[in-house]
Amino acid sequence: QVQLEESGGGSVQPLGSLRLSCTTHGYRSDYMAWFRQAPGQEREGVALLYTPNGATDYADSVKGRFTMSQDAAKTTVFLQMNSLKPEDTAMYYCAAYHMLGAWYRVGSHDVRLAFWGRGTQVTVSS
């Protein structure tokens, strides 16, 4: 059974930092992604990572502030979020590629994603 487990969310002041983690159980994926969804808004693709070589892509809204990476075992991906803004407040989800998944846009890439975590809340407020 495929499981994605996010952690690391919390509350932080503007310009602060958080590091999210997502561990994948029972599955290895060529692409991993982070999405976010704020109340009343559509889910937004934030970051994408190609696990074979670690190449990344980002939404314009987070470029230069967020960095996605993976551990050596390629079972955990991270999202380092710096210079956080109130508009970054959202539930953050990680997702994994599967060839039968639905299409999603992340940065300049379209990718099929089929497996999702339950999310971790990030709140940026003074």
Side-chain angles (χ1 to χ4, degrees):
Q1 182 178 0
V2 178
Q3 288 186 320
L4 278 64
E5 184 176 1
E6 302 102 334
S7 62
S11 296
V12 64
Q13 292 187 340
L15 300 180
S17 297
L18 283 173
R19 189 191 197 207
L20 306 184
S21 300
C22 172
T23 299
T24 304
H25 302 279
Y27 185 65
R28 291 287 185 98
S29 174
D30 282 347
Y31 291 93
M32 295 291 296
W34 284 98
F35 279 69
R36 66 185 181 187
Q37 187 167 22
Q41 297 188 19
E42 292 187 356
R43 191 168 292 193
E44 175 191 19
V46 172
L48 180 70
L49 184 141
Y50 182 56
T51 59
N53 64 10
T56 54
D57 194 10
Y58 302 93
D60 288 343
S61 57
V62 306
K63 274 182 183 176
R65 301 188 298 122
F66 290 12
T67 302
M68 187 172 181
S69 61
Q70 62 184 339
D71 69 346
K74 300 181 181 180
T75 58
T76 299
V77 294
F78 307 97
L79 187 67
Q80 178 66 44
M81 306 185 295
N82 299 328
S83 300
L84 283 161
K85 305 175 182 180
E87 51 263 43
D88 294 318
T89 296
M91 185 71 79
Y92 283 71
Y93 301 88
C94 69
Y97 163 85
H98 189 279
M99 63 182 296
L100 299 179
W103 286 103
Y104 292 87
R105 185 80 170 176
V106 185
S108 61
H109 289 82
D110 293 314
V111 60
R112 285 186 180 270
L113 300 168
F115 303 109
W116 295 82
R118 293 187 175 185
T120 185
Q121 177 69 36
V122 171
T123 302
V124 184
S125 173
S126 56

